Amino acid sequence: MDLDSLNHRHFPAVIIGAGQAGLAAGHELARRGFTPGTDFIIVDANDGPGGAWRHRWDSLTLGKAHGIADLPGMPMQRPDPDVPASQLVAEYYGEYEREFAFNVVRPAQVTSVAPEGDQLAITVAGGAGRRDEKKATPTNVVIGADAVLSATGTWANPHIPFVPGIGEFKGRQLHTKGYTRKEDFAGLRTLVVGGGLSAVQFLLELAQVTDTVWATRRPPNFTAREFGTNWGLAVEDAVRERTFHGQAPASVVRTTGIPQRPEYLQGVADGTLVSRGMFDRITRTGVVFGKPFSDTADGLGPSSHAKLQVPESWNPYPAGTSIDVDVIFWNTGFRHALRHLAPMKLREPGGGILMRDEVRVRKDPRVFLVGYGSTASTVGATRAGRQAGRAAAAYLRGGD
């Protein structure tokens, strides 16, 4: 379906995003009698299928990632653990779109969703080749809808915390989103920032070609818990309470933990996976570390390091320690990509969005958030898509 042909057309529902949550929502709407292309459309900002997975680095395989949940109605065949996840998931999502005739409209970057009487006006950045005859800039396409299911995830909104001096650093800075391959770091000293699984995997990968230093705000939380369905549900429970009360979702890093896999424990033993604490200032050539963290109930401090065979020489840096680095690699997570919903004025004073349940927004029944808060994971996104499709179908048919 061509984006240009949608200008000023109206649909009962528009799904924004063709990742796991958006496709699951589309499947549920179709299952409930809504016809793709007539009763609802799916628009996606990417050039092709795969959602955020299509942008992941080649060294990330489904054997290294937490995993990917099956989409409803068409399970993923057993994936090759050595093939890049970006390729496997893009192929799977593409097959899924074709199987259910979704005809996803792409590339279609939604820039705003705004109230327009009883309806919603969805503005999409100009279609391919559409240009105003008198201007060099692309024109916009506006689509009308009775309901919007926003499944835009987090990949488009990387988070880098402000640290004094961040603009003074003369070396290279990049976020997880900008990583391509380890060879780009060869011969450099790299400071990896962040306490999540991505940072752990990058540290092990980069240690093959670069001198690494790990910086975390809290002691790394190596957990003996198995990373299965029960783990995912526990993570959701830890986040849900905040989102239901209109607070901004908590960082996933605070709730997931790092599994004690043999390769990770070896990385601890050889000093690669030992945090040196957190810096509180950035200089032109490096960083200056602040007060070291200590033993805490929710992580590993110096005394519990011994349980994982951490050498004494790898304890956190003393306050005021200055080190030079060539690269600052921020693995500091993402925030929900919801800027397009700003005209709807959904946020509470605390920065979050008050929810009626996992998908329904309390302030406006026309807006459904798919994969927000507690369901922003491969475990929860499919369930959230189903819930959103079911709730949107009920709303469009006059239900609550």
Side-chain angles (χ1 to χ4, degrees):
M1 187 178 295
D2 180 68
L3 177 60
D4 295 332
S5 67
L6 301 180
N7 200 26
H8 301 304
R9 284 189 61 184
H10 178 273
F11 296 89
V14 172
I15 299 172
I16 306 173
Q20 180 183 340
L23 293 177
H27 180 271
E28 186 65 21
L29 280 175
R31 195 176 74 84
R32 292 177 177 272
F34 290 80
T35 304
T38 302
D39 298 320
F40 73 91
I41 58 170
I42 304 176
V43 298
D44 186 67
N46 290 300
D47 293 328
W53 286 95
R54 69 181 283 109
H55 302 291
R56 303 297 174 89
W57 47 100
D58 285 348
S59 61
L60 180 66
T61 64
L62 293 183
K64 294 180 180 178
H66 285 321
I68 178 173
D70 288 335
L71 291 168
M74 196 180 95
M76 186 180 191
Q77 299 302 311
R78 188 170 193 152
D80 186 333
D82 297 322
V83 176
S86 57
Q87 176 184 330
L88 289 175
V89 178
E91 291 173 354
Y92 174 42
Y93 284 10
E95 292 172 4
Y96 193 86
E97 292 175 12
R98 290 188 290 273
E99 175 68 19
F100 296 102
F102 284 152
N103 294 316
V104 176
V105 181
R106 59 167 60 96
Q109 177 68 55
V110 173
T111 57
S112 76
V113 177
E116 195 171 81
D118 294 335
Q119 299 181 7
L120 299 170
I122 302 164
T123 302
V124 187
R130 287 192 91 249
R131 291 183 178 275
D132 188 290
E133 294 180 357
K134 298 180 181 180
K135 299 179 181 179
T137 56
T139 58
N140 290 324
V141 172
V142 180
I143 305 169
D146 298 313
V148 164
L149 292 77
S150 183
T152 47
T154 62
W155 186 258
N157 194 21
H159 171 67
I160 295 179
F162 174 77
V163 178
I166 191 170
E168 300 176 11
F169 184 63
K170 297 304 179 182
R172 181 188 178 195
Q173 296 190 62
L174 77 157
H175 186 273
T176 310
K177 183 177 179 180
Y179 181 80
T180 302
R181 57 178 192 154
K182 65 183 179 184
E183 286 77 13
D184 295 335
F185 297 76
L188 304 176
R189 193 180 198 198
T190 302
L191 177 65
V192 178
V193 189
L197 195 56
S198 292
V200 168
Q201 293 171 346
F202 283 133
L203 281 159
L204 293 179
E205 186 168 321
L206 294 176
Q208 303 170 36
V209 298
T210 180
D211 178 22
T212 62
V213 178
W214 192 13
T216 64
R217 194 169 299 281
R218 298 178 180 84
N221 180 22
F222 287 86
T223 176
R225 174 181 289 170
E226 292 294 327
F227 276 47
T229 301
N230 291 336
W231 159 79
L233 295 175
V235 171
E236 291 183 17
D237 288 341
V239 178
R240 185 178 293 110
E241 188 67 19
R242 291 178 59 87
T243 55
F244 276 9
H245 289 85
Q247 297 174 296
S251 167
V252 174
V253 169
R254 287 167 53 184
T255 52
T256 56
I258 303 165
Q260 294 188 30
R261 295 175 180 169
E263 64 269 30
Y264 297 170
L265 297 181
Q266 180 58 47
V268 173
D270 65 26
T272 302
L273 296 185
V274 178
S275 173
R276 308 309 297 268
M278 187 61 187
F279 52 92
D280 57 13
R281 183 161 56 90
I282 301 175
T283 67
R284 291 169 58 88
T285 60
V287 298
V288 179
F289 280 76
K291 182 180 179 180
F293 49 63
S294 59
D295 255 339
T296 60
D298 62 348
L300 297 177
S303 65
S304 53
H305 274 170
K307 299 176 183 178
L308 293 181
Q309 301 177 351
V310 177
E312 279 292 325
S313 60
W314 285 94
N315 280 336
Y317 285 127
T321 300
S322 177
I323 65 168
D324 288 342
V325 296
D326 301 297
V327 182
I328 302 177
F329 188 7
W330 300 95
N331 288 267
T332 43
F334 298 79
R335 299 293 184 264
H336 289 283
L338 299 176
R339 291 191 183 95
H340 57 289
L341 295 177
M344 301 300 298
K345 302 185 185 303
L346 303 176
R347 291 194 181 276
E348 301 296 321
I353 297 176
L354 192 62
M355 305 294 291
R356 295 178 63 183
D357 51 35
E358 287 187 319
V359 297
R360 295 185 297 173
V361 175
R362 186 174 292 277
K363 281 188 176 180
D364 198 316
R366 299 171 295 182
V367 180
F368 301 83
L369 299 184
V370 197
Y372 174 74
S374 61
T375 58
S377 68
T378 57
V379 175
T382 293
R383 187 183 75 250
R386 285 173 162 168
Q387 289 179 339
R390 182 166 60 249
Y395 171 76
L396 293 171
R397 287 175 171 150
D400 184 12

